DNA sequence: TTTTATTGACCGACGCGTCGGTATTAATAT
DNA sequence: ATATTAATACCGACGCGTCGGTCAATAAAA
């Protein structure tokens, strides 16, 4: 009259972790349910006790990875108050993160993008709302720029365009990093970022 | 004792054109062989008389789209000699191209990227060599920057990093354009590009 | 008639999700 | 203590739909 007790939340997280590992190795599209199950050390059927379907695991993994990133950005913003420094920190952190910590992360993220793009037109339940994520980052960067302008520190550039450009540059670099890691010198890239994206902003 | 005569080259091109149309409508991954055949107005089996497999059609479509882009870049370079103007023209042209043909071209291109990324690690015969394409563009942009530096027009920034950054920015913007077309104002973006990516370069 | 082009019915591999059955645990009775 | 029981966790063989690629038959041109 009493069931086996399992920490379902913890197990969900373990499965998501396993999924991310496999995604990194084989690519999201080429990952089979059985691959995730094996990595998590459980049977395929058990996956369906914790997730409705493949899509569901996919979305959970995406959420997890994205929450990580946003928390770190938030931390940076609270450490620094000078707009130019905030931008610089965000750029440098992103570059570091992409290159050093996250060869894994990067290619998985690329897969998520590809999926997100593929799902934009059909009335798919937008499990992965890429647009929303972009909007959020755009708001953050544009906010910093506007603050700098109000303080008379930055030139009069369109804050939203600048934010789109900066986010685009980071994403695009991630793309190239995944393709040719040997070609992108992070240290130099940081300098170049500062020389172009930041110094030109300052009066 | 004489067969039906067909212009095989022309028919291949027709098929590739049909493929691109369908890719734009349904996304590369969701396009079935039968969809391409129907769009081209031929039977499914006939596809295999002109292409070895799906991969082959895919690669041909990619080549076609890419050759278009490169030819236009080359034309720009021959029209302009001033380095800063060359960069500006390339940026503006790319932005125009992306925005004008965003729906069709852009989302198909994103699919190609996603595929290219997915195929980087396994010893797949690199039908779609994304790395090579990137290298080519990088060489072009970096070359312009170096020329500007030699002429004493540009500041001393690392040409390769700059090129990666610029290409990244364009790609990343394309990504955002696909996601939220309404958010990206091309005219403003051109101005911002000039204010950040070009003016900061000039002494 | 011969040669080539075209076709779509067919095949088989593949992978998602299900389902019937098994294993494990904890409350309860003895 | 220990047997009993009930609720839940776990599993993997299998069903079924999907889709890339093949091939035997057909059409058309010369």
């Amino acid at each position: 009259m009493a069931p086996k007790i399992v920490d379902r939340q913890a197990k969900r997280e373990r499965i998501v972790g396993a999924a991310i590992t496999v995604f990194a190795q084989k690519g999201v599209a080429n990952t089979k349910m059985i691959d995730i199950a094996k990595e998590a050390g459980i049977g395929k059927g058990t996956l369906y006790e914790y997730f409705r379907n493949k899509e569901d695991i996919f979305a959970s993994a995406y959420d997890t990875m994205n929450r990580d990133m946003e928390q770190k950005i938030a931390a940076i913003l609270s450490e620094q108050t000078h707009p130019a420094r905030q931008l610089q920190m965000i750029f440098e952190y992103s570059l570091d993160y992409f290159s050093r910590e996250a060869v894994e992360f990067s290619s998985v993220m690329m897969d998520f993008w590809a999926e997100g793009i593929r799902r934009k037109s059909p009335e798919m339940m937008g499990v992965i709302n890429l647009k929303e994520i972009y909007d959020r980052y755009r708001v953050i960067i544009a906010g910093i720029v506007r603050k700098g302008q109000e303080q008379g520190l930055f030139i009069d550039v369109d804050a939203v365009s600048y934010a789109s450009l900066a986010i685009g540059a980071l994403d695009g670099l991630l793309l190239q990093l995944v393709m040719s890691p040997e070609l992108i010198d992070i240290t130099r890239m940081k300098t170049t970022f500062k020389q172009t994206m930041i110094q030109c902003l300052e009066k």
Side-chain angles (χ1 to χ4, degrees), chain A:
Chain A
M1 209 200 240
K4 182 163 146 187
I5 300 263
V6 172
D7 185 341
R8 296 189 70 82
Q9 186 54 37
K11 189 145 192 179
R12 263 185 74 99
E13 283 168 16
R14 267 191 40 222
I15 293 175
V16 169
I20 291 176
T21 301
V22 182
F23 288 164
Q25 286 168 359
K26 324 187 69 154
V28 173
N30 298 323
T31 297
K32 317 304 170 211
M33 294 302 269
I34 186 65
D35 299 326
I36 299 175
K38 279 188 181 154
E39 178 67 31
I42 60 177
K44 180 185 164 191
T46 308
L47 289 178
Y48 292 87
E49 302 287 334
Y50 293 86
F51 297 91
R52 285 194 311 284
N53 50 29
K54 191 182 185 182
E55 181 95 343
D56 198 12
I57 295 186
F58 190 76
S60 293
Y62 177 73
D63 272 349
T64 296
M65 299 187 70
N66 215 72
R67 220 185 307 278
D68 277 4
M69 191 72 183
E70 288 196 13
Q71 279 176 0
K72 284 169 185 170
I73 298 280
I76 287 175
L77 289 186
S78 63
E79 281 169 17
Q80 271 288 344
T81 57
H82 191 284
R85 289 302 139 263
Q86 285 183 325
L87 288 179
Q88 190 184 343
M89 291 286 287
I90 289 177
F91 294 155
E92 294 195 353
Y93 168 75
S94 303
L95 289 173
D96 277 336
Y97 192 61
F98 288 168
S99 66
R100 196 177 327 123
E101 283 180 45
V103 181
E104 271 211 358
F105 172 90
S106 308
S107 49
V108 177
M109 213 59 196
M110 291 304 312
D111 272 340
F112 281 130
W113 289 345
E115 271 303 308
I117 288 156
R118 192 161 293 135
R119 290 176 196 181
K120 72 183 186 315
S121 28
E123 244 54 87
M124 268 282 188
M125 45 183 166
V127 191
I128 293 180
N129 199 338
L130 212 50
K131 181 179 180 310
E132 201 174 273
I133 305 291
Y134 270 115
D135 287 348
R136 214 142 56 210
Y137 285 127
R138 220 185 332 253
V139 167
I140 293 173
I141 305 276
I144 298 176
V145 172
R146 284 208 198 83
K147 201 179 60 180
Q149 289 170 333
E150 285 165 15
Q151 295 178 8
L153 297 169
F154 288 171
I155 64 169
D156 182 36
V157 11
D158 180 59
V160 173
S161 300
Y162 178 89
S164 300
L165 179 55
I167 292 165
L170 288 174
D171 283 350
L173 281 173
L174 178 55
L175 187 64
Q176 292 175 68
L177 201 62
V178 172
M179 299 310 301
S180 334
E182 75 286 358
L183 270 181
I184 312 292
D185 179 324
I186 295 296
T187 308
R188 283 188 185 170
M189 189 55 72
K190 285 182 187 171
T191 305
T192 305
F193 236 104
K194 205 161 134 192
Q195 285 176 312
T196 59
M197 297 298 296
I198 297 181
Q199 279 181 11
C200 68
L201 213 55
E202 295 177 295
K203 276 188 176 165

